[in-house]
Amino acid sequence: MDVSMPARYSRQLLDVFILALAIAGAIIGPVLTLRAMPPDFPAWAVTTLIAFEVVLPPTTALLFVHRKDRRGTGKRE
């Protein structure tokens, strides 16, 4: 399969991939954490770990996707 598109849309495609990976990580991460933790592991530690897994990947991805242009114009084309 060959996909071609104008170069000006490549940044938007990369942004979509980044956000999709962050959302998938926020969903899959806690599930895998719950399956991997032993039953006697402290509940506060599991809750904290899951909270970080749900919040940090999407937040980091949004900051990466919506950052300003490095040239200082603040515009994305």
Side-chain angles (χ1 to χ4, degrees), residues 67-77:
R67 71 185 182 278
K68 292 190 180 203
D69 190 17
R70 298 286 184 205
R71 293 181 299 246
T73 61
K75 294 181 182 178
R76 287 182 41 197
E77 296 178 17

Side-chain angles (χ1 to χ4, degrees), residues 2-59:
D2 182 31
V3 177
S4 63
M5 60 186 236
R8 67 177 182 250
Y9 295 122
S10 63
R11 181 69 206 172
Q12 292 173 348
L13 183 63
L14 180 62
D15 291 347
V16 169
F17 286 145
I18 290 170
L19 290 174
L21 283 173
I23 291 170
I27 294 170
I28 295 170
V31 172
L32 293 177
T33 299
L34 287 173
R35 295 181 95 197
M37 289 296 151
D40 59 344
F41 205 75
W44 64 268
V46 175
T47 305
T48 304
L49 183 59
I50 289 174
F52 280 122
E53 289 175 343
V54 169
V55 172
L56 285 179
T59 303

